[in-house]
Amino acid sequence: MTRKKLGAGIGLTCVTTPKFKRAVLRAALVLPLGGPDAALRAALPHVLRRGTVRLPDLRAFGAALDEMYGARIEAMVSKEGDNLVIGFLSDVIDEKYASGAEGLTERVVRLLADLLYDPYVQDGVFSPDYTAGERVNLMDRIAAQKNDPRAYAPKRLTELMCEGEAFGQSVLGTAAQAERITEQKLFAAYQRALSEGRMELFYCGTMPPDTIEELFLKALPERRTDNLYAPHTEVVAQPKNEVREVTEELPVTQGKLSMGFRTGGNSLTGGDPLAYWMFQVLYGGSTSAKLFLNVREKLSLCYYASAQFISAKGLMIVNSGIENDKYEVTKREILHQLQLCRDGDISADEIENARRTLISAWRAMLDEPVQLERYWLAQAIAGTMTQPEERIEAVQTVTQERVIAAANATALDTVYFLKGVGK
C-alpha cells in the first residue's frame, strides 16, 4: 500500500498487487454527516450517474461501460464515523490480463472524473427528469428502511444513543428533506459538496502507484485550498446519562432487541482497539461466542444474538431477535454474559478462538479487493493507515488481561426494543 497527497484535500491510496484479475477504483468526497444537505447529498451521486456531458443518459453510459470490457461503476453513499462518503466505486478487468485493453484504466479514471466534475445539465442545473426520478428513489429507500426490522433496530438505536452527535444522523437524510429536493437545490448542494469535500481516491490492481497518480492528476481539475472539510469523529468514552430504554412498535412478528454500549474510548483512534475486537468476538462475534452459546443455544432466549464493534465511533451494538415476552430475561442474560467477561470468566480456548476468528477474517479481506477498498477508506478518514498484516501480527500478542480490561471499559448506554405487533 502507498498513500499520496495529490493536491489540496485529495488523498490517493494504492494497493499494488498481481493477485486479482479485476481492478477496483474509487473517487469519493468526504463531507459532514447530516445537516440540511443530508438528503440532497444522498441523492447526488445517483443523479450524477444518470449522465455526463459526453454520455448524457443511461443508455450512452451503459454502452460506454460495455466497451470497457463490462466495467461497473456504482454510486456510493456511506457513513464512516461522523462523516459522509459520496461518490463512485468501479470494478473493471485489470488491463494486464486482457488482450487489447491498454488504456482501459485511464478511460475508467476519466469517466470517474467526468461523473464528478462534468455532469449532464439543462439550463445550468441538473435535469428535472433525472432529479425527479432520484427524488422518488430516495424517498422509497427511506421508507423501505422499516421493511427490514433486523437492520432498522440498530439504526434506530444509534439515532437515539447518538442524539446530538453527527453519528446519530441518517446517511439518507429525512423523508421531509427528500420531498423538497429540486434540480436547483440539488445543483447548489453539488457545488457546495465539490468546494467543501475532501476527496478520497483508491486503486487496487497491478499498475504502479506513480502511473495511477498521473492518471488522476491528468483527469481531475485543480482544487482550491480554502474551506475544505476536515474529517473527524467524536468518540464519547462513557454514557452521558443514565441508561435509556425505549420501546417502539411495528407490525412485525418478531421483536428486535438492540443494546448500545460505549467502549471507554476504545476505537480506531484511541484506547486498545485490538483488545476490544478480541473481546467483541469472544462476547458476541462468532458461533463460539458467549452470546451465541448461552443466550441463543443453551437458554433459547432468542433467534439470534450478536455483537458488533463500530471501531470508527467507539461503540458496541448487541442485536437479538426475540419473542416480546422474552425482553427482560434476554436483556438480563446479555448483561450477565458481559459481567462474566468483566469478572475474568474467560477460558484460554475462548481467547484463542476469538484470535483465530479475527485473523481469519482479516486474511480473507486480503483476498477481496472491494473489502480492501472499504478497509482503506476507513483508515484514510481516521488517519491511522495501519496495514492489515500489521493488525494480524499485533493481535497475536493480545493477552487475556487486555481483553478483560476491554470488557470492564464497556458501559451500557441505550436499550431499544422494537416490539412486534404483527399477527
Side-chain angles (χ1 to χ4, degrees):
M1 187 279 295
T2 56
R3 176 76 175 169
K4 295 193 174 188
K5 181 179 179 181
L6 303 195
I10 303 178
L12 169 64
T13 303
C14 288
V15 176
T16 309
T17 173
K19 287 176 66 173
F20 312 116
K21 297 297 187 289
R22 298 187 70 83
V24 170
L25 298 97
R26 179 228 308 134
L29 296 170
V30 183
L31 295 152
L33 190 61
D37 279 359
L40 291 163
R41 288 173 173 172
L44 182 56
H46 296 280
V47 172
L48 291 173
R49 194 187 175 281
R50 290 277 193 128
T52 69
V53 171
R54 286 193 303 120
L55 307 168
D57 55 38
L58 287 175
R59 177 175 293 182
F61 187 75
L65 293 178
D66 288 342
E67 291 175 2
M68 292 189 286
Y69 292 77
R72 291 180 293 180
I73 296 181
E74 300 298 335
M76 61 184 297
V77 180
S78 65
K79 177 193 293 191
E80 288 292 338
D82 290 350
N83 309 284
L84 172 72
V85 182
I86 59 171
F88 302 96
L89 185 66
S90 176
D91 174 5
V92 62
I93 192 167
D94 194 303
E95 61 183 75
K96 178 180 179 180
Y97 299 110
S99 176
E102 185 178 351
L104 179 59
T105 307
E106 181 175 10
R107 292 166 65 189
V108 174
V109 168
R110 183 187 172 191
L111 185 47
L112 290 171
D114 283 353
L115 286 167
L116 279 174
Y117 286 99
D118 205 13
Y120 176 71
V121 296
Q122 294 178 1
D123 300 321
V125 295
F126 288 121
S127 158
D129 289 343
Y130 294 175
T131 304
E134 294 305 333
R135 178 176 60 242
V136 171
N137 289 341
L138 177 60
M139 292 171 64
D140 288 345
R141 286 196 296 275
I142 292 172
Q145 292 176 116
K146 289 186 177 181
N147 295 339
D148 182 0
R150 187 164 179 167
Y152 177 75
K155 173 187 176 296
R156 184 72 182 118
L157 169 72
T158 56
E159 289 175 353
L160 295 164
M161 183 177 176
C162 300
E163 198 170 11
E165 301 170 46
F167 192 79
Q169 301 294 308
S170 170
V171 72
L172 299 179
T174 66
Q177 288 176 331
E179 288 175 357
R180 295 193 294 268
I181 291 175
T182 65
E183 54 269 24
Q184 292 84 6
K185 290 180 181 178
L186 188 62
F187 196 79
Y190 161 69
Q191 292 177 310
R192 288 192 293 273
L194 279 187
S195 65
E196 299 170 14
R198 293 271 172 176
M199 182 167 289
E200 279 298 330
L201 308 173
F202 177 84
Y203 170 78
C204 177
T206 61
M207 298 184 76
D210 289 345
T211 302
I212 297 299
E213 178 183 4
E214 291 173 8
L215 295 180
F216 274 115
L217 285 174
K218 180 180 176 181
L220 296 172
E222 290 189 16
R223 308 191 74 208
R224 296 182 338 199
T225 59
D226 58 324
N227 201 34
L228 287 175
Y229 172 65
H232 63 280
T233 296
E234 176 190 14
V235 175
V236 179
Q238 300 294 334
K240 299 174 184 176
N241 302 296
E242 294 296 316
V243 176
R244 181 182 181 188
E245 296 195 38
V246 177
T247 297
E248 295 177 345
E249 296 183 348
L250 269 184
V252 295
T253 56
Q254 186 187 105
K256 307 297 179 186
L257 171 61
S258 289
M259 302 172 67
F261 299 83
R262 303 287 180 175
T263 64
N266 288 298
S267 67
L268 268 183
T269 55
D272 190 352
L274 288 173
Y276 208 90
W277 265 303
M278 287 272 289
F279 158 65
Q280 171 255 319
V281 171
L282 181 151
Y283 177 54
S286 74
T287 54
S288 61
K290 288 184 178 293
L291 293 184
F292 184 90
L293 293 179
N294 294 283
V295 184
R296 182 186 185 276
E297 296 292 289
K298 182 179 178 180
L299 299 175
S300 300
L301 294 175
C302 56
Y303 299 100
Y304 62 88
S306 63
Q308 176 191 11
F309 176 32
I310 305 177
S311 58
K313 182 64 178 173
L315 304 177
M316 183 176 71
I317 308 296
V318 171
N319 294 304
S320 61
I322 62 173
E323 295 295 335
N324 289 337
D325 60 358
K326 295 290 199 305
Y327 169 72
E328 287 292 344
V329 66
T330 305
K331 180 182 70 173
R332 186 163 58 246
E333 187 59 31
I334 288 170
L335 294 175
H336 174 62
Q337 294 300 322
L338 172 59
Q339 190 59 49
L340 291 177
C341 294
R342 289 170 173 162
D343 294 341
D345 187 358
I346 298 172
S347 69
D349 283 346
E350 287 177 304
I351 290 286
E352 292 311 312
N353 284 340
R355 199 189 317 273
R356 283 195 297 268
T357 297
L358 276 174
I359 292 172
S360 176
W362 289 337
R363 283 181 175 157
M365 179 180 65
L366 295 171
D367 295 326
E368 177 49 63
V370 173
Q371 288 191 34
L372 284 172
E373 182 274 328
R374 292 172 186 158
Y375 175 87
W376 286 115
L377 176 63
Q379 295 287 309
I381 291 176
T384 47
M385 306 310 288
T386 303
Q387 295 272 5
E389 295 88 348
E390 294 176 49
R391 186 183 278 184
I392 289 169
E393 184 176 351
V395 82
Q396 307 271 12
T397 65
V398 174
T399 62
Q400 182 182 32
E401 289 73 23
R402 287 167 64 186
V403 174
I404 295 170
N408 278 284
T410 303
L412 181 62
D413 185 300
T414 304
V415 179
Y416 175 72
F417 181 41
L418 183 62
K419 187 176 181 180
V421 293
K423 294 182 180 179

